[in-house]
Amino acid sequence: MTNTIKDVAKKANVSIATVSRILNDQGGYSEKTKFKVLKVIEELGYQPNAVARGLINKRTHTIGVLFPKLSSSLVTDLLDGIEKAANDNGSSVIVCHTESNGEKTMKYLQLLIEKRVDGIIFASEILKEEYYQFVAKTKMPIILLSTESYAYPVPFVKVNDFHAAYAAAKYLIGKGHTKIGMISGKKDDIIAGIPRIEGFKKALSDHGISLGSENVVFSRGFAFPDGIEGLKKLIGQFPDVTAIFAASDEMAIGALSAAYQLGIKVPDEISVMGYDNLNLAEMSIPPLTTVGQPLAKMGEAAAEMLFTIMETGEIPESRIMPHRIIERMSVKERKK
Amino acid sequence: MTNTIKDVAKKANVSIATVSRILNDQGGYSEKTKFKVLKVIEELGYQPNAVARGLINKRTHTIGVLFPKLSSSLVTDLLDGIEKAANDNGSSVIVCHTESNGEKTMKYLQLLIEKRVDGIIFASEILKEEYYQFVAKTKMPIILLSTESYAYPVPFVKVNDFHAAYAAAKYLIGKGHTKIGMISGKKDDIIAGIPRIEGFKKALSDHGISLGSENVVFSRGFAFPDGIEGLKKLIGQFPDVTAIFAASDEMAIGALSAAYQLGIKVPDEISVMGYDNLNLAEMSIPPLTTVGQPLAKMGEAAAEMLFTIMETGEIPESRIMPHRIIERMSVKERKK
DNA sequence: TTGAAAGCGCTAACAC
DNA sequence: GTGTTAGCGCTTTCAA
């Protein structure tokens, strides 16, 4: 069995209180005792039991993160930031993979609550009423990451999707394009779907570019195959298109692939722009021009907001993180 | 404050022992009491405290995973499998990002031990003596994932890199290539470096293909830029090369990019083969032929081995997972 | 079928 | 400076 504070106390001929004090640097002991105790700790290879500490301190130094899926670099980059901030604050992170499944999500939420994590980060997904009520009841701190709630007062950190999409379309217009299409994600996704579509449309109409139903193609999701299909469909309904804005990098890369298959040269014949700035984006042929979200920073911010809540008890303000156009090689200036 | 078992007991007019029994389905109570207690639990929204349970049961239902980096789909796929298996076994997973840094690794190891996780998965990195001794002392179960130790008796799950590289080279030979180059990873990496290089060389020599120092190019790591540089260097020192085996998919994709920049057509002029079968591999242009590791399955296996240890106390056998050639479009048959 | 009480490993209030 | 002791929220004997 592993040694406990009792074993240390006994072997050092002091009380457990003294050992505890030394462990927590609280003062109230002589240098001599400290030295003696530390020596015994060393000899015994004693490791304080964080579970017992958590029970009494009501602080587990653990936060929980819920993701709809794990295998995507979008998630990984967010996680990277979360983990970094957590580590800097002496906390660990438990990852939960919900598969966008309501039952699984509830199960995980319950698990995290039972484990008494210090807070929860809920990422990249709609916060359903059921979820919200469940955690609100426990008063556990929660932050939304890369998503937001219109119905509940939960602080979030994300990019402004409308503005970012607007900026992307504007960039394309600035490059001389007027026949611009969009491969959008899910039409009814109120976080990553609608705002990007609306931002795109607004940019076109603000710049006097006419726009019909042929300009936008809808998909089932935001993945690679959706981009392949998207491009084919778009070319079919809008043959004049010279530039395409895809609602995710994976879709943009799918579009690149489809274009290649069809013998369409990017960016010479068609320009393609993505959204996310995943690692992928610099590895594609040609490297993808895209609108970047500072994913790692967003993850960090979310975790830090959680720590703020724990320390101050105050609910922090939501944070809109800046997006940025990342210019690479997939968009070409179009001569008039 | 959240309710405790005491509150439930009081409100239901029973002892906490009875509530505990009902919570744990242990029997020894009437249906009537059970019903009454369950009702109170419902009313109070009571959530058992897993921390207190962990303290007494000496089981936290949490495992820790150490990764050198988080932002790579290799890791994500492994994590995906680990999370799945953990969840199926009612456990959570804590992720730790070591950055291949010895100090950080030790700190994380200590953290996990203090948190009394049920076991540790150590992934994709050399198990240093210091690490091993530290966890061995605590008798905490540990599994190596996508790495192995020649010095210590720690069970592992991984692919046989030598065999896999051999298979890749043989595949290229089978396609009629005789001028075959390799963009290897780190020359002194005894897990992912040397075995792949040796497997590659062995395949060539077994098939009567002469082989000099110009056939292999070494890199600093296994990343995208290493692949770009690698291809350029290889072409420089081995201009006749018609097929290239890269020691990772990211490097292979780097090679694809470099070839594109140099105006070299893949697979028409040069065939390229990768290693890992990441998601990336099917998104490249052309889609990448590669040797696949069953990453998610490997993660699952590692987690399951951990649970086996906890249940039986026996150290399970290491598992060599099967590799597989994934044929896509980046390799072309060469006519004699 | 149920309850009282000890104790998991630790912290903190109080006493000396 | 140091020790004693009462819990944190739970499980588990032992008795009744």
Side-chain angles (χ1 to χ4, degrees):
Chain A
M1 224 40 239
T2 29
N3 291 306
T4 74
I5 198 171
K6 259 190 195 159
D7 302 313
V8 176
K10 194 180 299 169
K11 185 152 181 205
N13 275 314
V14 296
S15 73
I16 59 168
T18 298
V19 178
S20 175
R21 285 185 193 107
I22 292 171
L23 245 24
N24 296 293
D25 264 330
Q26 287 177 316
Y29 44 78
S30 68
E31 274 303 306
K32 205 174 132 206
T33 343
K34 177 175 173 183
F35 184 80
K36 185 173 57 179
V37 169
L38 254 23
K39 185 153 163 273
V40 171
I41 286 179
E42 179 68 33
E43 284 169 18
L44 256 33
Y46 167 74
Q47 305 280 2
N49 183 327
V51 180
R53 282 180 160 173
L55 182 57
I56 189 158
N57 292 330
K58 278 132 177 41
R59 196 76 152 66
T60 52
H61 294 280
T62 306
I63 64 177
V65 187
L66 295 157
F67 285 116
K69 64 174 187 169
L70 252 30
S71 49
S72 136
S73 59
L74 206 158
V75 162
T76 326
D77 289 351
L78 291 172
L79 183 56
D80 208 7
I82 295 172
E83 206 274 346
K84 178 174 186 314
N87 186 242
D88 290 348
N89 282 274
S91 285
S92 323
V93 3
I94 290 183
V95 291
C96 305
H97 179 193
T98 66
E99 298 172 21
S100 300
N101 171 332
E103 262 179 64
K104 268 197 109 176
T105 305
M106 285 302 287
K107 211 186 121 208
Y108 272 122
L109 250 17
Q110 167 144 20
L111 190 83
L112 293 174
I113 289 169
E114 290 191 358
K115 289 215 163 139
R116 300 298 193 262
V117 295
D118 297 331
I120 292 178
I121 293 177
F122 186 87
S124 297
E125 202 161 6
I126 302 287
L127 183 72
K128 292 196 199 158
E129 156 148 32
E130 187 187 17
Y131 308 159
Y132 173 71
Q133 299 297 357
F134 191 67
V135 347
K137 230 170 33 196
T138 69
K139 307 221 167 78
M140 176 166 297
I142 175 167
I143 302 283
L144 265 24
L145 174 57
S146 197
T147 178
E148 73 181 291
S149 171
Y150 303 120
Y152 311 106
V154 181
F156 59 84
V157 8
K158 79 187 265 300
V159 152
N160 184 317
D161 290 73
F162 180 91
H163 288 169
Y166 188 99
K170 193 175 160 191
Y171 173 83
L172 260 11
I173 294 167
K175 289 288 174 192
H177 294 276
T178 53
K179 312 287 187 195
I180 307 178
M182 174 171 183
I183 301 175
S184 88
K186 283 177 75 177
K187 184 168 28 182
D188 54 350
D189 182 326
I190 58 170
I191 303 299
I194 298 170
R196 294 181 197 170
I197 297 171
E198 294 307 318
F200 170 79
K201 287 186 179 169
K202 186 76 167 29
L204 296 215
S205 66
D206 278 3
H207 290 81
I209 297 177
S210 72
L211 168 100
S213 66
E214 72 279 11
N215 285 257
V216 181
V217 128
F218 305 103
S219 315
R220 256 169 313 172
F222 293 85
F224 179 72
D226 299 317
I228 295 184
E229 275 188 42
L231 180 116
K232 291 179 181 163
K233 214 154 123 194
L234 189 62
I235 296 277
Q237 72 188 40
F238 188 13
D240 291 345
V241 64
T242 66
I244 296 175
F245 170 49
S248 78
D249 280 354
E250 285 202 19
M251 285 172 55
I253 289 180
L256 254 32
S257 275
Y260 178 77
Q261 277 170 37
L262 297 175
I264 300 171
K265 294 215 159 35
V266 177
D268 298 319
E269 297 173 50
I270 291 191
S271 291
V272 173
M273 189 158 177
Y275 189 111
D276 282 337
N277 193 29
L278 304 184
N279 295 332
L280 294 176
E282 50 181 348
M283 303 197 213
S284 64
I285 300 176
L288 193 66
T289 293
T290 187
V291 8
Q293 308 192 55
L295 296 168
K297 285 244 180 303
M298 290 164 67
E300 270 185 66
E304 270 155 16
M305 283 161 71
L306 225 37
F307 296 117
T308 303
I309 302 182
M310 291 173 220
E311 274 150 35
T312 69
E314 315 234 314
I315 304 295
E317 282 185 23
S318 294
R319 295 186 55 182
I320 306 288
M321 305 293 277
H323 56 264
R324 206 172 102 231
I325 304 285
I326 315 283
E327 293 195 87
R328 283 193 273 248
M329 319 280 286
S330 64
V331 173
K332 193 179 173 184
E333 177 120 32
R334 192 172 172 77
K335 307 271 160 32
K336 289 282 164 63
Chain B
M1 224 41 240
T2 29
N3 291 306
T4 73
I5 198 172
K6 259 189 195 162
D7 303 312
V8 176
K10 196 181 299 172
K11 187 156 181 201
N13 274 314
V14 295
S15 72
I16 58 168
T18 300
V19 178
S20 175
R21 287 186 191 107
I22 292 171
L23 246 24
N24 295 292
D25 265 331
Q26 288 177 315
Y29 44 79
S30 67
E31 274 304 305
K32 204 174 133 208
T33 343
K34 176 175 176 182
F35 184 80
K36 186 174 56 179
V37 169
L38 255 22
K39 187 153 162 274
V40 172
I41 286 178
E42 178 68 33
E43 284 169 17
L44 257 31
Y46 167 74
Q47 306 279 4
N49 183 327
V51 179
R53 282 180 159 174
L55 182 57
I56 190 159
N57 293 329
K58 277 133 177 40
R59 196 75 151 70
T60 52
H61 294 280
T62 306
I63 63 177
V65 188
L66 295 157
F67 286 116
K69 65 175 188 170
L70 251 31
S71 50
S72 137
S73 60
L74 205 159
V75 162
T76 327
D77 289 351
L78 291 172
L79 183 57
D80 208 7
I82 294 172
E83 206 274 347
K84 179 175 186 313
N87 186 242
D88 290 349
N89 282 273
S91 285
S92 322
V93 2
I94 290 183
V95 291
C96 305
H97 178 193
T98 66
E99 297 171 22
S100 300
N101 171 331
E103 262 179 62
K104 269 197 109 175
T105 305
M106 284 303 286
K107 209 186 121 206
Y108 272 122
L109 251 17
Q110 169 145 19
L111 190 83
L112 293 174
I113 289 169
E114 289 190 0
K115 290 216 163 138
R116 301 297 194 261
V117 296
D118 296 333
I120 292 178
I121 293 177
F122 187 87
S124 297
E125 202 160 5
I126 302 286
L127 183 72
K128 293 195 199 157
E129 156 147 32
E130 188 187 17
Y131 308 159
Y132 173 71
Q133 299 297 357
F134 191 67
V135 347
K137 229 168 35 195
T138 69
K139 306 222 169 76
M140 177 166 297
I142 177 167
I143 302 284
L144 265 24
L145 174 56
S146 198
T147 178
E148 73 182 290
S149 171
Y150 302 121
Y152 311 106
V154 181
F156 60 84
V157 7
K158 79 187 266 300
V159 151
N160 183 318
D161 290 74
F162 180 91
H163 288 167
Y166 188 101
K170 192 175 162 191
Y171 173 83
L172 258 13
I173 295 167
K175 288 290 175 191
H177 293 276
T178 52
K179 312 287 187 195
I180 308 178
M182 174 170 184
I183 301 176
S184 88
K186 284 176 73 176
K187 185 171 23 185
D188 54 351
D189 182 326
I190 58 169
I191 303 300
I194 298 170
R196 293 182 197 169
I197 296 171
E198 294 307 318
F200 170 79
K201 288 186 179 170
K202 185 76 166 31
L204 296 215
S205 67
D206 279 3
H207 291 80
I209 297 177
S210 70
L211 167 101
S213 67
E214 73 278 11
N215 285 258
V216 181
V217 127
F218 305 102
S219 314
R220 254 169 314 170
F222 293 85
F224 179 72
D226 299 316
I228 295 185
E229 275 187 42
L231 181 114
K232 291 179 182 163
K233 212 154 124 194
L234 190 61
I235 295 277
Q237 69 187 43
F238 188 13
D240 292 345
V241 65
T242 65
I244 296 176
F245 169 49
S248 78
D249 280 354
E250 285 202 19
M251 284 175 47
I253 289 179
L256 254 33
S257 275
Y260 179 78
Q261 278 171 35
L262 299 175
I264 300 171
K265 294 214 160 35
V266 177
D268 298 318
E269 299 172 50
I270 291 192
S271 292
V272 173
M273 189 158 178
Y275 189 110
D276 283 337
N277 194 29
L278 305 183
N279 296 331
L280 296 177
E282 51 181 347
M283 303 196 209
S284 64
I285 299 176
L288 193 66
T289 293
T290 188
V291 9
Q293 308 192 55
L295 296 168
K297 285 243 179 305
M298 289 164 67
E300 270 185 67
E304 271 155 17
M305 282 161 71
L306 225 37
F307 295 117
T308 303
I309 301 183
M310 293 174 220
E311 274 149 36
T312 68
E314 315 234 314
I315 305 295
E317 283 186 22
S318 294
R319 294 186 55 182
I320 306 288
M321 305 292 279
H323 57 263
R324 207 172 101 230
I325 305 286
I326 315 284
E327 293 195 88
R328 282 193 274 249
M329 319 281 286
S330 63
V331 172
K332 193 176 172 186
E333 176 121 34
R334 193 173 171 76
K335 306 271 163 24
K336 290 282 164 65

